[in-house]
């Protein structure tokens, strides 16, 4: 259990076009026609069901599909290996569709929304999977009671990235145990490229014969003892050359030397998987706590992995990927200027190997994901709105909210943590660390990539007051996701819940936020999780309700 917690905290996840709050009748008619087309497409590709095409105006279906499942060059685990892990370690992977990690299943694709697949050379040429923008930035909203599920692009998902990457990494370490390796090899042999049962395959028969022989366990022990982490004879972070033939025990039945070679190849494969994630073969003794669904300490983990510079634990919820057309700097502290820099760092953190200065990336794929995500618009509120109350809330919005959240997307929207009273840790990214990331991006070598002409990452020491279009879909609130509903955010900090559960997709339309349900308990008294701060907390109950109804119209 301790190893699982340690590994989970070492893994990272990172990852827009403006939308007017009102549309003309012609635009509404066009939207209805496009939505009808999407409904037809959803019959062929169920992953598109529930998407409001007003978020993706004019997009071809291929772009939507690429956003949901296209590669970012971050594939880090072969499909056969992941399926074998799932069979071997049901405690790490209790649900066959991985929904326990907060992911949205997509049976038609074979893996959840936000998973991509492609063959990867340093993973034996096997078809491998990884995550893209959609894993962290697509979610379903379920109305309380009855009603259609709404699929929202660009919002904070419930994906527990640390738990998922941690589970895979723990599995690689567990499989260095001879008995576990024996079970794993049997599962690997019968897990075909698409989950096809290969029990009658020649390769499989030979594997099973080898594993069932009297000397097989001793042979596995010898191979594991010789190189338990698969790192023998290679520099830290470097990658072994591995072929598909190396990984399949398909030689003369009963030859222990062949079984030992197969075990060694899989241990080296596990090393390559960890190296691509910048996870060392020896884990540190102390690590930050788990962040839970929809959150991570992205820049903290990247600073540790890419720069070797640990910083205090500073969790944030996954950012919002919509309406950034006019915003020159992104992230909660306005620290990143170029979208491609944001996604390159994400790709490198999520499984794109960095060997010296060479990024083993398909730059065109990362660039396409970037270009697509930049065109997402904010989601329209999908449920009923009390228009009379919204009308009463409009003046309150202008008087209490607009001065920070409306107007030009300039640095005037940056505010110190002391000024707004929110948790200060995420604003602590230093210019020294920012310069470290700038150096990585300036020196990065990858075919098709041109380094930026000027530094694109900075330390601001402040937080950004984002526009409030689609604010209904931003629960839980504040940069660290420490306030469950909008009603609580508009209440004094002393009246806010000290802890609540995360993971539910059921939506409370009255309070604007998810229900207090789910597997993870967010403790707002823990470092980095403070739920303090924000203005407008002296409103009456009626003013709160009216303002909430108005916010639904944005």
């Amino acid at each position: 259990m301790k190893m699982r917690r340690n590994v989970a905290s070492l893994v990272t996840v990172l990852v827009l076009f403006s939308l007017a709050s009102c549309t003309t009748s012609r635009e509404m008619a066009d939207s209805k026609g496009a939505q009808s087309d999407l409904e037809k497409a959803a019959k062929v590709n169920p992953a598109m069901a529930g998407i409001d095409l007003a978020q993706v105006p004019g997009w071809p279906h291929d772009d939507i599909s690429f956003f949901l499942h296209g590669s970012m060059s971050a594939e880090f685990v072969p499909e056969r290996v992941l399926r074998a892990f799932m069979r071997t370690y049901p405690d790490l992977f209790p649900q066959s569709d991985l929904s326990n990690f907060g992911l949205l299943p997509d049976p038609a694709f074979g893996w959840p929304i936000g998973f991509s697949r492609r063959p990867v050379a340093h993973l034996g040429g096997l078809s491998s999977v990884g995550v893209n923008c959609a894993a962290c930035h697509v979610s379903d909203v379920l109305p309380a009671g009855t009603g259609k599920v709404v699929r929202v692009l660009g919002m904070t998902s419930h994906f527990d990235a640390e738990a998922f990457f941690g589970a895979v990494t723990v599995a690689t370490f567990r499989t260095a145990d001879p008995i576990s390796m024996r079970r794993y090899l049997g599962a690997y042999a019968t897990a075909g490229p698409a989950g096809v049962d290969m029990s009658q395959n020649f390769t499989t028969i030979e594997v099973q014969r080898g594993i069932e022989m009297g000397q097989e366990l001793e042979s596995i022990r010898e191979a594991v003892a010789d190189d338990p982490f698969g790192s023998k004879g290679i520099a830290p972070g470097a990658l072994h050359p591995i072929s598909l033939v190396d990984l399949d025990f398909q030689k003369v039945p009963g030859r222990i030397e062949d079984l030992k070679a197969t075990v060694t190849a899989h241990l080296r494969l596990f090393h390559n998987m960890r190296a691509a994630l910048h996870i060392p073969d020896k884990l540190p003794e102390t690590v930050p706590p788990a962040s839970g669904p929809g959150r991570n300490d992205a820049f903290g983990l990247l600073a540790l992995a890419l720069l070797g510079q640990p910083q205090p634990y500073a969790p944030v919820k996954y950012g919002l990927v919509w309406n950034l057309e006019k915003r020159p700097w992104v992230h909660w502290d306005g620290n990143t200027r170029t979208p491609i820099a944001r996604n390159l760092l994400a790709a490198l953190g999520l499984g794109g190997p960095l060997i010296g200065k060479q990024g083993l990336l398909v730059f065109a794929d990362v660039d396409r994901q970037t270009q697509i995500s930049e065109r997402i618009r904010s989601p329209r509120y999908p449920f009923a709105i009390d228009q009379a109350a919204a009308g009463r809330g409009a003046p309150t919005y202008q008087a209490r909210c607009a001065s920070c959240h409306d107007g030009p997307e300039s640095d005037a929207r940056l505010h110190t943590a002391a000024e707004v009273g929110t948790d200060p840790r995420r604003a602590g990214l230093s210019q020294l660390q920012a310069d470290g990331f700038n150096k990585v991006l300036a020196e990065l070598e990858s075919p098709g990539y041109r380094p930026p002409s000027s530094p694109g990452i900075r330390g601001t020491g402040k937080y950004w007051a984002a526009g409030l279009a689609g604010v209904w879909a931003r629960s839980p609130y504040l940069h660290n996701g420490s306030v469950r509903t909008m009603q609580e955010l508009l209440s004094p900090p002393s009246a806010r819940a000290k802890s609540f559960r995360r993971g539910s997709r059921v939506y409370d339309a009255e309070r604007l936020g998810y229900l207090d349900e789910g597997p993870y308990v967010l403790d707002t008294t823990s470092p980095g999780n403070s739920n303090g701060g924000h203005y407008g907390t002296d409103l009456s109950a009626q003013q709160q309700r009216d303002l909430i109804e108005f916010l639904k119209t944005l």
Side-chain angles (χ1 to χ4, degrees):
M1 193 62 154
K2 180 181 178 183
M3 178 182 287
R4 185 179 178 183
R5 289 196 302 267
N6 285 359
V7 176
S9 298
L10 291 175
V11 190
T12 178
V13 176
L14 283 170
V15 281
L16 314 156
F17 199 76
S18 66
L19 170 68
S21 59
C22 299
T23 58
T24 67
S25 59
R26 171 63 181 275
E27 288 171 329
M28 290 295 291
D30 290 344
S31 175
K32 289 180 180 178
Q35 195 67 33
S36 176
D37 289 342
L38 183 63
E39 290 170 358
K40 293 177 183 177
K43 294 179 180 180
V44 179
N45 183 358
M48 295 184 183
I51 296 174
D52 181 357
L53 274 190
Q55 282 202 271
V56 288
W59 284 32
H61 296 157
D62 183 58
D63 277 358
I64 300 177
S65 295
F66 193 84
F67 179 72
L68 297 177
H69 288 300
S71 176
M72 279 187 64
S73 292
E75 293 79 10
F76 78 102
V77 55
E79 294 186 86
R80 286 183 68 182
V81 171
L82 182 52
R83 290 191 179 97
F85 282 164
M86 292 165 68
R87 295 182 187 180
T88 307
Y89 307 114
D91 60 318
L92 296 178
F93 305 95
Q95 299 294 328
S96 61
D97 60 4
L98 304 181
S99 58
N100 57 288
F101 297 109
L103 291 160
L104 298 174
D106 184 358
F109 184 76
W111 296 105
I113 296 294
F115 271 45
S116 61
R117 65 158 62 92
R118 69 182 176 100
V120 178
H122 63 269
L123 301 179
L126 290 166
S127 176
S128 301
V129 294
V131 302
N132 67 11
C133 298
C136 298
H137 301 290
V138 174
S139 189
D140 286 349
V141 176
L142 285 63
T146 60
K148 290 184 177 181
V149 174
V150 179
R151 178 154 292 176
V152 181
L153 306 186
M155 75 183 301
T156 299
S157 77
H158 299 278
F159 177 35
D160 192 335
E162 291 175 2
F164 171 69
F165 283 91
V168 174
T169 309
V170 167
T172 68
F173 284 114
R174 277 195 192 178
T175 313
D177 169 73
I179 294 177
S180 296
M181 175 64 80
R182 185 172 183 258
R183 292 169 52 216
Y184 159 80
L185 287 177
Y188 176 85
T190 57
V196 176
D197 186 350
M198 296 175 62
S199 59
Q200 299 306 311
N201 179 274
F202 174 78
T203 300
T204 299
I205 292 172
E206 302 310 323
V207 173
Q208 291 174 339
R209 287 182 186 174
I211 292 176
E212 291 170 0
M213 291 180 53
Q215 294 178 303
E216 83 290 350
L217 192 55
E218 183 59 32
S219 176
I220 293 173
R221 284 197 180 100
E222 290 176 4
V224 169
D226 184 57
D227 191 11
F229 300 118
S231 56
K232 189 175 181 180
I234 197 168
L239 301 173
H240 289 286
I242 300 175
S243 72
L244 178 60
V245 174
D246 296 333
L247 298 168
D248 275 336
F249 182 57
Q250 55 184 348
K251 302 177 184 177
V252 178
R255 282 190 50 174
I256 297 303
E257 294 81 2
D258 294 337
L259 178 58
K260 290 172 66 175
T262 300
V263 171
T264 298
H266 280 266
L267 293 171
R268 290 178 174 179
L269 175 67
F270 300 156
H271 164 84
N272 283 6
M273 290 164 55
R274 293 191 295 266
L277 291 169
H278 317 288
I279 296 175
D281 291 318
K282 183 177 180 181
L283 300 175
E285 290 296 322
T286 59
V287 293
S291 300
R295 304 198 315 160
N296 69 354
D297 180 11
F299 275 92
L301 292 170
L302 279 174
L304 179 62
L306 300 182
L307 308 179
Q309 298 176 2
Q311 68 174 27
Y313 177 60
V316 296
K317 68 178 185 180
Y318 305 148
L320 305 172
V321 185
W322 61 59
N323 289 8
L324 296 187
E325 181 192 37
K326 298 179 181 179
R327 183 175 169 183
W329 296 86
V330 298
H331 291 140
W332 298 115
D333 56 346
N335 73 348
T336 303
R337 176 158 45 196
T338 59
I340 191 63
R342 174 194 65 206
N343 282 356
L344 281 170
L345 288 176
L348 291 172
L350 292 169
L354 182 63
I355 309 301
K357 299 177 183 180
Q358 183 69 37
L360 302 186
L361 306 168
V362 180
F363 177 75
D365 287 345
V366 182
D367 187 51
R368 185 180 179 192
Q369 277 286 346
T370 303
Q371 296 296 330
I372 288 175
S373 64
E374 289 294 295
R375 306 194 328 258
I376 297 175
R377 297 185 179 182
S378 57
R380 299 180 296 189
Y381 187 72
F383 310 123
I385 300 174
D386 183 336
Q387 296 294 343
R392 294 193 299 269
T396 302
Y397 176 84
Q398 290 300 323
R400 307 299 296 274
C401 310
S403 61
C404 287
H405 293 284
D406 285 0
E409 301 272 352
S410 69
D411 282 359
R413 289 206 190 182
L414 287 169
H415 304 274
T416 65
E419 183 182 355
V420 294
T422 51
D423 192 292
R425 285 203 172 190
R426 178 60 183 84
L429 180 75
S430 70
Q431 188 58 48
L432 177 64
Q433 288 172 323
D435 288 340
F437 291 123
N438 286 325
K439 187 173 187 290
V440 170
L441 292 168
E443 297 179 348
L444 179 65
E445 299 173 359
S446 185
Y449 169 67
R450 289 186 176 184
S453 57
S454 60
I457 299 178
R458 63 180 180 175
T460 66
K462 300 178 180 181
Y463 289 119
W464 178 269
L468 297 184
V471 69
W472 69 271
R474 285 167 53 175
S475 168
Y477 296 95
L478 296 183
H479 70 278
N480 57 3
S482 61
V483 180
R484 184 173 64 87
T485 69
M486 177 60 69
Q487 184 185 59
E488 281 195 278
L489 186 65
L490 297 175
S491 302
S494 60
R496 299 170 186 169
K498 297 301 180 185
S499 66
F500 60 93
R501 291 189 173 274
R502 287 279 287 113
S504 173
R505 295 189 181 92
V506 181
Y507 194 77
D508 184 337
E510 180 180 349
R511 295 174 177 83
L512 242 58
Y514 295 109
L515 297 188
D516 186 1
E517 299 173 348
Y520 176 81
V521 176
L522 195 154
D523 179 4
T524 66
T525 65
S526 297
N529 286 347
S530 171
N531 66 353
H534 197 257
Y535 300 115
T537 59
D538 58 348
L539 301 175
S540 68
Q542 185 62 52
Q543 286 176 314
Q544 277 189 6
R545 181 181 180 279
D546 292 346
L547 178 56
I548 286 173
E549 290 302 307
F550 176 77
L551 292 174
K552 295 176 182 179
T553 70
L554 299 179

